[in-house]
Amino acid sequence: MLEYKNVLSPIKIGALTLRNRIESAPSNTGNGTFEGFFTQESIGYFELKARGGASIVTIGESNVHTKTGVAHGRMPCLDNPDILPSLIRTTDAIHRHGALASIQLIHPGRRANKDYYNGTVYGPSSGEPLFAGPIVEMDEKVIEEVVNAFGDAAEMAKLGGCDMVMVHGAHGWLLHQFLSPLNNNRRDKFGGSLENRARISLMVIDNIRKKCGKDFPIEFRLSGSEYVEGGLTIDDMVEFAKIIDGKVDIIHVSSCTFHNPATNTHMFPSAFHEKGINVPLAEKIKKAVKTPVAVVGGINDPDLMEHIISSGKADIVSLGRPLLADPFLPKKLMERKAEDISPCLRCLVCLSGDFVPYIKYPIRSLKCSVNPIIGREQEATRKIQPERKKKVLIIGGGPAGMQAAITASDRGHQVILCEKSDSLGGAINLIENISFKSDLKKFKNVLIKRVLKRDIKVMLNTCVNNELIDYLNPDAVVAAMGAEPIKPNIEGIENKNVILATEIIKRSEEIGKKVIIIGGGLIGCEEALNLSSQGKKLTVIEMRPDVVIDGAYLYREALMINLAKHPVNIVTNTKCKKIVETGVLAIDKEGREVLFKGDTVIVAAGLKSKIQQVDSLRKYNMEFYNIGDSFKPRKVLDAIRSGYDIGTTL
Ligand SMILES: Cc1cc2nc3c(=O)[nH]c(=O)nc-3n(C[C@H](O)[C@H](O)[C@H](O)COP(=O)(O)O)c2cc1C
C-alpha cells in the first residue's frame, strides 16, 4: 500500500511551514452577502477544507479595486474594510484546524461586469465590450492606482488574518490580459516585449512586498498555456516564470483563458481530459525556476498526487474539485484510508451554474455530485441525534439507497438494505463499460465499501413486497427503487435489433458496427461517444432542436467538443416513425421521410420513476419515503443528496 509520504511531507515556503503538499485551490462560494462579506455558510465551506487536512486553504477571487472593475456579484471586496469582521471569522475557522489561510487577489480588467459596479471598464488595450463597454485602455495613472490597490488589498488580507496571498495572473483576468498578445496591443512600456507585458505583474508583486513584508508569502497563479492560436504558449510562460522567479514564493500553474470560452472545460478539466492535465506545463516551469511550483487541474487520484511530488514535477498539488468531493482527502491519506476517498467525477456540476449564458441571474448554489454536504457545510456538520433509534428498511441498493443506509446507520439507526439484484450499485452498474465514467465506478465501490463496513444488514436478491415489510416490521421504509426506461410508442420497438440503453452491458455482444441511437439526451450522447470510441459508426436521432439539454452546462460543452472529434452523425428536429430491420425510418425537420441505416438501434428515450411499484408498498402505520430516481429520475447528485437528506432526518 502506498504511504503517500511525499505528498504528506511538509515544505517550507518563506517563513511558513506547510504541513503537507496539498493546497486547497482558490475557490469561491457565491453564498457571501450582497456586499461580499463571508457568511456562516461560506465560512463553513472553508473551515471544512481546513478540518480535512489541506495545508493552505485559499479563499477565491477577491476584488482589489471596485472603482475600476468588479468581476462577479457577491465577491469579497478587499478595498472595503467592513469585510474585516467576517474575514477574521473565516481565517480563524481555517486556523483552528492547523491550516494556513490564503486569499486570491483579482482585478477583472476587461472582464469587469457593470452589473456589479458603476464605472469605466478598463483593459490593457481598448476593444469590444464583453459584458459592458467600451473597454478603455488603462493609462499609467490608472495602472499605478490598480497596482497600489493590489498592495492595499494584500495588507487588508493580512489584517484579516491571512497568512499569505495568491495573485491571480491567470485565466484571462487583468494581469493575464497584460501578458497575453491576445489582449495587449500597447506600444508603451506595458506592451510589446514579454518584459514589458510582465511589467504590471512585477509592480504588483513589489507593491505587496513593500506593504506586507518579505515574510508574507506571495503565490502567483499563471496559465501555463492559453491554448489559443496567437496566445501565450508554454515557452512564453517558462520565460515569464523566470522573470518572477525568486520574487514570489510559489508559482502556481493552471492553464487557459476565459478570453476563449472553448478553453473553459480545459481550465476546469472534464472527465474527458487526462488527469493532471497541467502537470507537463508545471514540469517545464519547475525545471526553469528555483521557486517552489504548485500545479492544479484534474488531479483527483492520490497515486497521481504522490507521483507528481515524488518525481519532482511540482512541489505542491493544488486541488479544487477533489476537495469538494472529499475535503478529508489529506486526512484519509494520512490515516491510510485512501480507499474511502470519494473521487471527484469531473462532472462539472459544481461550476456549471456560473456559466449558463442564457440565465439572467445565475445564482451558484454550490453542490457536488458525490458530496451531499457541499454548499451547506454548517447545517450538515451539526450532528442531530435522532429522537429514538429506529429500524429502517431501505429498498434499493443504488446510490440513493446506499447513501441513505450509510447516513442513517451513522446516526445510530438499525438499517436493513434490500436489493433485488445480486449486487449493489443500481444505475451506476449500467456505465461499467464507459471509460470516461471510471471515477463514477470508483465512487460506487467506495459507497459499497462504506455500506459493508457498517452494521447494515444487506439482503441481496431480495425483492421487497408487502409480506416482507410486514415480516420485518420496520419503523420507517425508504424506497430507493430506481427508474425504468421509457419505451416510446414506435412501430418495431420490440424488434430483436432494438436494445434499451439500460440493457447495453447485458447485450453488448449484439451491438453491430452501425448503430442508431434514438434519443439525444445525456445518456444517448454519452453512449454515442463511448461506442464511437470503440470504432462503431453512430447516428443519434433527436426530435428536439438540440441534444444533451439535460446535461450540466460545462459538461455538455465538453461532451459536445469530444463528440465533434468522432464521426457521430447527430440529427435533430427528427422524429422516429418506425424501426425496421435495416435501421430507422424517421421524419426530418422538412417533413421528409428518411431511412437511417444501421444494424442496431439503441433506445435512450429517457427514464421514468417506478411510482406504481413504490406506491404499492406504502403503509398507513409507518414512515414512508420515496427518494432518488424512484421519486424522479435525475443525476447522481440528486440521488446522493436525497439519500443523505433522508438519512439525516429519519
Ligand atoms: C466551485 C469552484 C470555485 C472556483 N473559484 C475559483 C476562484 O475563485 N478563483 C480561481 O482562480 N479559480 C477558481 N476555481 C478553479 C479552481 O481553483 C481550479 O483551478 C479548477 O477547479 C481546476 O482544478 P480542479 O480540477 O482541482 O478542480 C474554482 C473552482 C470551483 C470548482
Side-chain angles (χ1 to χ4, degrees):
M1 187 201 277
L2 256 175
E3 281 199 303
Y4 304 104
K5 62 178 179 217
N6 290 287
V7 79
L8 292 175
S9 66
I11 180 173
K12 277 215 88 65
I13 298 295
L16 298 176
T17 302
L18 273 52
R19 60 181 166 185
N20 58 46
R21 308 300 184 95
I22 301 172
E23 171 186 62
S24 162
S27 90
N28 254 338
T29 54
N31 55 7
T33 67
F34 180 70
E35 301 92 333
F37 303 156
F38 299 91
T39 55
Q40 280 300 96
E41 288 76 21
S42 55
I43 294 170
Y45 174 83
F46 295 114
E47 177 167 9
L48 190 62
K49 289 164 189 241
R51 192 147 74 91
S55 58
I56 304 172
V57 175
T58 316
I59 301 162
E61 291 163 354
S62 303
N63 219 52
V64 300
H65 201 220
T66 305
K67 194 176 122 195
T68 53
V70 177
H72 318 288
R74 297 175 186 269
M75 68 189 295
C77 292
L78 289 169
D79 53 354
N80 178 3
D82 288 339
I83 195 158
L84 282 176
S86 71
L87 178 58
I88 290 169
R89 282 212 316 281
T90 311
T91 52
D92 279 354
I94 294 171
H95 289 147
R96 190 173 298 142
H97 302 280
L100 300 169
S102 182
I103 193 164
Q104 189 183 43
L105 311 182
I106 179 187
H107 190 291
R110 65 201 301 276
R111 295 188 57 75
N113 190 332
K114 286 185 77 167
D115 281 352
Y116 307 115
Y117 77 112
N118 202 357
T120 307
V121 178
Y122 289 103
S125 299
S126 57
E128 287 304 307
L130 290 164
F131 303 111
I135 297 162
V136 175
E137 179 172 307
M138 278 189 173
D139 61 24
E140 285 200 29
K141 193 166 151 282
V142 178
I143 291 177
E144 274 297 334
E145 225 182 312
V146 167
V147 166
N148 255 310
F150 268 98
D152 292 346
E155 250 189 316
M156 186 77 79
K158 194 174 174 186
L159 218 53
C162 290
D163 304 286
M164 56 186 282
V165 287
M166 175 189 278
V167 173
H168 205 336
H171 299 177
W173 301 109
L174 181 74
L175 303 184
H176 185 180
Q177 290 161 24
F178 266 91
L179 261 186
S180 172
L182 297 172
N183 301 135
N184 183 345
N185 318 313
R186 301 172 75 106
R187 287 159 188 252
D188 61 359
K189 64 180 184 185
F190 295 99
S193 66
L194 181 68
E195 284 68 25
N196 281 352
R197 284 181 278 129
R199 191 175 306 280
I200 188 171
S201 292
L202 286 180
M203 288 165 69
V204 163
I205 294 164
D206 282 352
N207 201 278
I208 297 174
R209 276 274 181 257
K210 202 168 80 198
K211 288 172 178 159
C212 297
K214 68 173 179 21
D215 287 342
F216 188 71
I218 302 173
E219 180 169 4
F220 193 98
R221 176 172 255 202
L222 55 80
S223 284
S225 173
E226 288 190 301
Y227 296 116
V228 183
E229 217 183 310
L232 293 162
T233 64
I234 177 61
D235 295 338
D236 299 321
M237 294 315 290
V238 166
E239 292 312 309
F240 174 72
K242 286 186 196 161
I243 293 175
I244 59 169
D245 190 20
K247 297 185 170 65
V248 298
D249 299 277
I250 302 174
I251 297 176
H252 176 116
V253 182
S254 181
S255 63
C256 303
T257 169
F258 287 126
H259 184 81
N260 184 339
T263 69
N264 285 353
T265 58
H266 188 135
M267 187 187 295
F268 313 109
S270 72
F272 307 105
H273 292 95
E274 67 190 276
K275 296 186 176 188
I277 195 160
N278 296 321
V279 174
L281 306 175
E283 187 180 7
K284 284 200 172 152
I285 288 175
K286 174 136 178 73
K287 279 193 181 132
V289 298
K290 293 200 182 64
T291 307
V293 170
V295 62
V296 73
I299 308 172
N300 66 344
D301 175 351
D303 291 4
L304 175 61
M305 295 170 201
E306 177 67 6
H307 170 73
I308 292 168
I309 306 298
S310 67
S311 61
K313 291 181 176 154
D315 303 285
I316 295 166
V317 287
S318 189
L319 312 182
R321 293 163 298 166
L323 293 186
L324 296 192
D326 201 332
F328 288 89
L329 183 150
K331 274 210 174 137
K332 286 182 182 174
L333 290 185
M334 219 159 53
E335 291 165 3
R336 300 194 179 198
K337 291 183 186 153
E339 77 293 339
D340 189 51
I341 292 170
S342 299
C344 165
L345 306 182
R346 296 179 297 157
C347 63
L348 292 163
V349 164
C350 52
L351 275 161
S352 284
D354 261 10
F355 286 83
V356 186
Y358 41 82
I359 292 182
K360 183 140 195 314
Y361 302 112
I363 298 174
R364 185 201 293 156
S365 163
L366 201 52
K367 286 181 180 167
C368 171
S369 289
V370 299
N371 188 348
I373 288 171
I374 293 303
R376 45 188 184 162
E377 294 80 4
Q378 292 282 22
E379 173 195 330
T381 47
R382 274 203 324 255
K383 287 209 176 85
I384 308 164
Q385 288 303 312
E387 279 163 27
R388 66 185 171 94
K389 181 175 169 172
K390 292 176 191 164
K391 186 176 191 184
V392 180
L393 170 64
I394 298 175
I395 312 172
M402 285 197 282
Q403 184 63 58
I406 293 162
T407 311
S409 168
D410 286 350
R411 291 183 62 240
H413 293 303
Q414 180 196 346
V415 179
I416 303 166
L417 176 61
C418 292
E419 163 58 40
K420 76 170 187 307
S421 76
D422 59 2
S423 59
L424 295 173
I428 305 183
N429 289 327
L430 303 174
I431 52 83
E432 294 273 302
N433 63 337
I434 301 186
S435 61
F436 52 85
K437 294 274 184 189
S438 59
D439 284 319
L440 184 53
K441 185 171 162 188
K442 218 178 192 180
F443 178 55
K444 178 193 80 175
N445 292 330
V446 169
L447 286 176
I448 293 175
K449 280 197 189 121
R450 284 180 190 161
V451 167
L452 299 181
K453 233 179 74 186
R454 285 165 170 78
D455 191 15
I456 295 171
K457 182 168 182 185
V458 178
M459 295 168 67
L460 297 176
N461 301 305
T462 304
C463 193
V464 176
N465 54 21
N466 282 295
E467 289 68 40
L468 184 60
I469 297 179
D470 289 342
Y471 173 73
L472 292 171
N473 193 24
D475 300 296
V477 176
V478 178
M481 294 162 68
E484 57 197 0
I486 294 173
K487 260 193 193 180
N489 191 12
I490 303 173
E491 194 182 332
I493 192 97
E494 302 293 345
N495 291 359
K496 63 177 189 319
N497 59 342
V498 178
I499 297 178
L500 297 177
T502 46
E503 300 172 328
I504 289 175
I505 292 206
K506 215 169 50 192
R507 297 179 60 189
S508 63
E509 296 292 311
E510 295 172 46
I511 301 176
K513 286 201 173 82
K514 278 183 93 172
V515 183
I516 298 169
I517 298 187
I518 298 178
L522 189 59
I523 294 177
C525 286
E526 284 186 332
E527 199 53 65
L529 180 60
N530 183 44
L531 293 173
S532 170
S533 314
Q534 295 167 19
K536 299 188 190 293
K537 276 196 118 93
L538 264 297
T539 300
V540 177
I541 303 177
E542 170 58 48
M543 63 185 192
R544 289 171 294 192
D546 212 345
V547 291
V548 205
I549 54 175
D550 51 342
Y553 183 78
L554 283 176
Y555 186 80
R556 176 187 188 276
E557 277 200 350
L559 177 58
M560 296 312 287
I561 289 170
N562 277 275
L563 274 170
K565 292 181 195 157
H566 286 78
V568 177
N569 178 25
I570 295 178
V571 281
T572 53
N573 292 308
T574 299
K575 204 163 180 287
C576 297
K577 190 178 163 198
K578 187 176 176 184
I579 300 171
V580 292
E581 219 174 284
T582 50
V584 173
L585 261 181
I587 310 290
D588 73 7
K589 64 175 169 222
E590 268 84 39
R592 291 176 306 218
E593 197 170 277
V594 189
L595 174 67
F596 294 96
K597 288 195 176 159
D599 324 307
T600 308
V601 177
I602 292 178
V603 177
L607 300 167
K608 60 177 183 201
S609 67
K610 294 183 180 166
I611 196 67
Q612 275 167 348
Q613 283 114 298
V614 172
D615 284 348
S616 72
L617 299 175
R618 284 183 191 270
K619 306 254 174 224
Y620 73 93
N621 58 348
M622 58 185 70
E623 291 178 49
F624 190 99
Y625 304 94
N626 183 18
I627 63 166
D629 278 2
S630 61
F631 174 68
K632 190 173 177 187
R634 287 173 292 172
K635 306 215 164 33
V636 177
L637 176 132
D638 306 286
I640 293 297
R641 273 175 97 90
S642 63
Y644 176 82
D645 284 346
I646 209 62
T648 54
T649 48
L650 276 167

